[in-house]
Amino acid sequence: MKVCLIQMNSRDSLVENLQQAENAVRSAVADTHARLVVLPELFTYLGGTKEGKREAGQVFPESGAYRLLQSLAKEYGVYLHGGSMIERDGDRLYNTTVVFDPKGSEIAKYRKIHLFDVVAPDGAVFRESDVFGRGENIVTYKVDDHIVGCSICYDLRFPELYAELSKAGADIIIAPAAFTLMTGKDHWEILCRSRAMETQTYVLATNQVGTYSENGEPRASYGHSMVVDPWGTVLARAQARTGHIVASLDFDYLNKVRADIPVQRHHVLGQ
Ligand SMILES: NC(=O)CC(=O)C(=O)O
């Protein structure tokens, strides 16, 4: 199965971000003919202000971002994993992934479970829970015969979520992200490779890249999106610029890794 990860530089303009996403999906599909295309976290609106986030909130299914992804999935006959967008549900906002199948039907919706409430060592303050409600459900869907698990960004730091997705049968786990430059340079690759090795799945980690501003403060995302195989090997890696990467997933290889080191049968604690 061919997969394509799109690395974007989203900022605080919904209109410009949707145009960037549309152009990126069109050129990614034309270049790679991938079966599964993945966008990054908060591709519709990143940074800005609390009011800006509320205004950019997308109501499902009638909002522009939802319709755009639906029509692109259908036009190209691809599975489109919509990174995440700001979802507005009544008064609440969520950081939400929506996935469409090649007919343009919604097949999954995942709300980010672990919200990034952190003061980074460089002093940058992140308070996602001031804006977003927390997701409560573990979500998987199917691409052809393969189960795909959903996660978003900070979720990467919580192996217990990945263990649950693995127990649910996932062969692929997706992590759209806006992982910070500050934390990413030290932690991103290790986290992606660790989660892939522990769960013996393909991990598709699609990051934002470049600068944006949050309440007038400068912020930067790390880029370096990557596809990691079940052995922990990086199959494809982006640099620190916008664009896309492609990789072919080999499920015979996945089965071999699981047969060689059958950790899924050897769990003793907490299973
Ligand atoms: N931005 C995030 O949600 C997570 C992140 O940058 C980190 O864990 O570091």
Side-chain angles (χ1 to χ4, degrees):
M1 181 196 302
K2 223 186 228 189
V3 297
C4 176
L5 277 53
I6 294 175
Q7 187 162 282
M8 287 178 61
N9 176 214
S10 301
R11 295 176 178 205
D12 58 357
S13 163
L14 176 65
V15 174
E16 287 174 20
N17 293 333
L18 291 189
Q19 192 59 62
Q20 189 188 154
E22 178 175 351
N23 294 344
V25 170
R26 290 191 187 285
S27 80
V29 176
D31 273 8
T32 67
H33 304 285
R35 181 85 175 133
L36 171 63
V37 177
V38 187
L39 286 162
E41 183 184 22
L42 294 176
F43 75 94
T44 52
Y45 187 95
L46 184 62
T49 58
K50 203 167 174 178
E51 299 69 46
K53 288 185 172 84
R54 180 154 289 282
E55 272 168 36
Q58 304 286 297
V59 178
F60 299 164
E62 58 263 34
S63 72
Y66 186 102
R67 292 281 181 225
L68 174 67
L69 297 190
Q70 185 169 47
S71 68
L72 286 169
K74 193 168 168 187
E75 179 180 341
Y76 289 109
V78 294
Y79 285 88
L80 186 49
H81 186 105
S84 77
M85 61 177 89
I86 300 175
E87 175 198 2
R88 184 150 54 83
D89 183 4
D91 281 347
R92 304 298 318 258
L93 299 181
Y94 297 92
N95 185 342
T96 303
T97 300
V98 194
V99 186
F100 296 94
D101 74 7
K103 292 189 176 132
S105 302
E106 179 187 320
I107 53 168
K109 181 173 116 170
Y110 169 72
R111 290 173 169 167
K112 186 175 185 178
I113 292 177
H114 301 96
L115 298 178
F116 193 47
D117 289 345
V118 163
V119 182
D122 62 359
V125 179
F126 297 87
R127 291 279 321 159
E128 272 197 309
S129 64
D130 281 355
V131 177
F132 297 123
R134 195 172 77 76
E136 289 178 349
N137 298 316
I138 287 174
V139 175
T140 61
Y141 62 92
K142 266 189 153 182
V143 171
D144 303 324
D145 289 337
H146 300 286
I147 297 178
V148 181
C150 294
S151 68
I152 299 176
C153 199
Y154 191 47
D155 286 334
L156 264 171
R157 293 186 185 271
F158 298 87
E160 62 274 22
L161 169 63
Y162 277 65
E164 287 299 319
L165 292 168
S166 165
K167 268 198 264 172
D171 288 338
I172 302 169
I173 302 180
I174 301 192
F179 217 91
T180 76
L181 176 63
M182 207 270 145
T183 53
K185 63 184 174 22
D186 297 324
H187 294 171
W188 171 253
E189 177 169 345
I190 298 169
L191 286 168
C192 295
R193 296 181 68 186
S194 304
R195 296 296 86 83
M197 268 187 277
E198 284 160 7
T199 54
Q200 298 178 321
T201 58
Y202 284 98
V203 168
L204 315 186
T206 314
N207 207 3
Q208 291 275 355
V209 68
T211 56
Y212 63 100
S213 90
E214 176 99 33
N215 298 315
E217 297 286 323
R219 294 275 187 272
S221 308
Y222 180 58
H224 298 84
S225 298
M226 57 180 64
V227 178
V228 187
D229 78 13
W231 188 254
T233 304
V234 178
L235 295 185
R237 183 198 305 267
Q239 297 304 314
R241 57 175 173 271
T242 56
H244 55 257
I245 54 172
V246 63
S248 286
L249 311 189
D250 175 349
F251 296 99
D252 291 335
Y253 179 67
L254 176 143
N255 290 333
K256 178 171 166 17
V257 169
R258 290 180 181 176
D260 286 349
I261 305 184
V263 289
Q264 293 179 341
R265 283 196 278 114
H266 290 165
H267 281 292
V268 177
L269 303 175
Q271 296 292 307

